[in-house]
Amino acid sequence: MGSTSSGEKNGGFKLKYNAPVTLTFAIICLAVLGLDYLSKGKTTMEFFSVYRSKLSIAWFVRLFGHSLGHIDFNHLFGNMTLFLLLGPILEEKYGARNLIEMIAICSVIESIVQIIFIPKVALLGASGVVFMMIIVASAVNLKEGDGIPITMILVILVYLGKEVWAQFAVHDNVSHITHIVGGLCGAFFGFAYSRASINKRLEKK
């Protein structure tokens, strides 16, 4: 008869909260959508969508909060599919704190652009943050002296090029300018954080 070690006995099915920032963000988005249904859209309009209005505490909350708000489950699931795929990769590569900084800065810049250029339209959703993450993810292989990865250039051209074209040629309810802003933020973060990571490795040597 075979024997079973104590490690095998105790090694049953376990769940791991492997990417705290990514998972927490997704859970909050789901909770915000739940509040939206319960309040019949009032909480989303007040705190989780951004538009030009008078300065108030709610106005400052919206600068970041709009990235947590979604119109419906289809909108949420569409964004969270890529968010949950890319988030753990970036969180492991750059760290939780840096990922929070990227999401927060990108969200605020999106808000400012929206308020200035499209003030009468409310913006909500994490699509701009997702576009930022797509571009940042394409920069994870940046290394000292290796040059810029062609894949990163192609990702920027494909994603941003499509959104620039759509901004002027397609008339829909999608905020293409937000995607463009997110992509530009991603390109900046990709180079900035990769350079910082390279410098840290060089200092250790």
Side-chain angles (χ1 to χ4, degrees), residues 31-45 70-72 124:
V32 166
L33 184 58
L35 286 174
D36 177 80
Y37 281 104
L38 291 174
S39 67
K40 297 182 180 180
K42 291 181 181 179
T43 54
T44 297
M45 196 63 187
H70 291 83
I71 296 172
D72 52 31
L124 72 163

Side-chain angles (χ1 to χ4, degrees), residues 10 12 28-29 34 36 68 75-77 79 89 117 129 173:
N10 297 327
I28 293 174
C29 286
D36 177 80
L68 301 169
H75 188 204
L76 175 66
F77 293 156
N79 283 331
I89 298 172
F117 295 103
V129 170
N173 291 324

Side-chain angles (χ1 to χ4, degrees), residues 132-149:
M132 177 269 292
M133 295 170 75
I134 290 171
I135 304 301
V136 175
S138 69
V140 294
N141 292 322
L142 275 174
K143 297 178 181 178
E144 181 70 21
D146 280 356
I148 302 173

